[in-house]
Amino acid sequence: MDAPLIRVGHGLRAAASAAGPAASGLASRSISGASRSAICHPSRATAVAATVAARHFSALNRPPPKYPGHVPLTKIEQAGMAIGSGIMSLFNPYRAVPGGPRDGGQMQIKHMMDTSPQLMRNLADLIATLGEATATPYFIYRLRDAMLAHPTGRRILRLRPRISSKTLSIPALRALPANSVGRAYVEWLDREGVSPDTRSAVKYIDDEECAYVMQRYRECHDFYHALTGLPTVREGEVALKAFEFANTLLPMTGLSMLAVATLKPAERRRFFGVYMPWAVKNGVRSKDIINVFWEEELERDVDDLRRELGIEQPPDLRAIRKREKEEKRRLKEMRAQGF
């Protein structure tokens, strides 16, 4: 019996003694019943305490964090953050960028958005916040349960590995065989000019284990890029998010597809005609990519891993975009020459 119950019991006995023998007997029976209830249903006291705490949870009376960096949110705060980050990531991806739309040159900034890793990281911060705000109460638990149902997923949850330049040796990855998973990963990092250290820490998901699941998904995102070959340009990110939504069902990945409205007409046609069908087909039929222990697959042949997971590579988007730019430049030169 815990201390609060003992103190309550002593109070009841004292009051019952003052009232008389009958009341004293009744109090003893009530205490005995409460003791049996607490022993048989130990979670009941915890549930009551959680309910009381929830009633007093507000922006001015926030409970303590459950893990380092955790920020508990009220339901209103969570909804506001989901709406705000969603709107900003869709309509204002140029925040905190020198020379943004306020300085003019929106076409130049949009070109920079397609080529600058820093701008992509700014947008990634907003998308990360959107992901955390929309993952609870159901979707992140579904993904956690998918890991618990798989032997490799359970091992990942038990060991909780992290992906960064401190846990992965980039020079060692460059020395791996040409068609290995690790070599494909590091070559994709070099080609796109990104680093595994750019993923922000999860802080708005209350359950510590689920917070790790979201962190794991976030840090594995670049492996998904390397596996599919999709670049970090907006068109490639939208295509990969469509694949991730079909595979993980995380709402953020589905909401991110709304960015297709910001693509150029030719890019939108290509997305709906080529990459959207590829994403749905491969995302639905492939195994849960959250259960891949990437750190143990680095020396494996990347084509062999794709076959095991059931993932086909889509058409090379960067090569397609390069050919289109060369064709436009050639036509422009021909017009300038009077043809």
Side-chain angles (χ1 to χ4, degrees), residues 42 59 63 101 145 152 154 192 199 226 280 294 339:
D145 291 345
T152 303
R154 289 195 298 271
E192 301 299 324
R199 301 299 171 185
V280 173
W294 296 100
F339 290 102

Side-chain angles (χ1 to χ4, degrees), residues 40-224:
C40 297
H41 305 283
S43 62
R44 188 170 297 171
T46 304
V48 172
T51 302
V52 172
R55 289 173 181 169
H56 295 87
F57 179 19
S58 67
L60 300 178
N61 184 27
R62 206 176 297 277
K66 297 181 178 180
Y67 53 87
H70 174 227
V71 180
L73 296 177
T74 65
K75 296 298 183 183
I76 295 177
E77 289 173 329
Q78 183 178 352
M81 183 171 293
I83 296 172
S85 60
I87 293 175
M88 290 179 66
S89 63
L90 183 61
F91 295 106
N92 187 27
Y94 315 108
R95 66 180 182 88
V97 179
R102 288 181 297 178
D103 299 324
Q106 290 199 23
M107 293 303 294
Q108 180 181 1
I109 296 300
K110 287 185 177 182
H111 172 71
M112 291 173 61
M113 184 65 189
D114 275 348
T115 57
S116 170
Q118 181 59 50
L119 299 186
M120 292 304 297
R121 284 194 290 270
N122 289 336
L123 179 57
D125 290 341
L126 289 170
I127 294 176
T129 301
L130 176 65
E132 294 179 43
T134 57
T136 54
Y138 169 74
F139 298 97
I140 195 63
Y141 289 95
R142 192 211 70 82
L143 197 60
R144 189 270 314 272
D145 291 345
M147 297 184 72
L148 289 174
H150 192 277
T152 303
R154 289 195 298 271
R155 195 153 54 87
I156 293 172
L157 287 176
R158 184 173 67 254
L159 299 176
R160 296 195 180 185
R162 299 294 299 272
I163 296 176
S164 70
S165 61
K166 295 180 180 179
T167 61
L168 295 177
S169 173
I170 301 300
L173 293 178
R174 293 194 179 104
L176 289 174
N179 205 47
S180 63
V181 172
R183 182 74 172 271
Y185 172 70
V186 74
E187 287 180 350
W188 183 87
L189 293 178
D190 292 340
R191 182 171 62 250
E192 301 299 324
V194 297
S195 163
D197 298 325
T198 57
R199 301 299 171 185
S200 55
V202 173
K203 54 185 176 181
Y204 300 119
I205 293 179
D206 293 335
D207 184 87
E208 183 182 8
E209 187 174 49
C210 288
Y212 172 76
V213 173
M214 177 61 77
Q215 189 72 42
R216 179 69 179 179
Y217 155 76
R218 189 174 291 174
E219 292 178 358
C220 291
H221 178 77
D222 289 341
F223 274 102
Y224 308 156

Side-chain angles (χ1 to χ4, degrees), residues 238-316:
V238 173
L240 186 60
K241 283 293 184 288
F243 167 81
E244 290 178 338
F245 179 66
N247 191 267
T248 68
L249 296 182
L250 287 174
M252 172 273 295
T253 57
L255 293 171
S256 296
M257 287 191 294
L258 295 176
V260 72
T262 67
L263 299 178
K264 297 175 182 178
E267 294 173 341
R268 283 198 298 271
R269 288 193 297 270
R270 184 161 54 229
F271 173 75
F272 287 115
V274 177
Y275 290 98
M276 182 68 169
W278 165 84
V280 173
K281 176 184 176 182
N282 285 268
V284 170
R285 77 175 183 181
S286 66
K287 297 179 180 178
D288 291 316
I289 52 176
I290 193 66
N291 289 325
V292 178
F293 210 137
W294 296 100
E295 298 88 337
E296 298 179 350
E297 304 287 352
L298 297 175
E299 298 182 7
R300 186 174 179 181
D301 185 87
V302 66
D303 292 325
D304 182 52
L305 180 60
R306 290 190 188 107
R307 283 192 294 269
E308 179 181 309
L309 295 176
I311 297 175
E312 298 174 345
Q313 265 195 295
D316 190 335

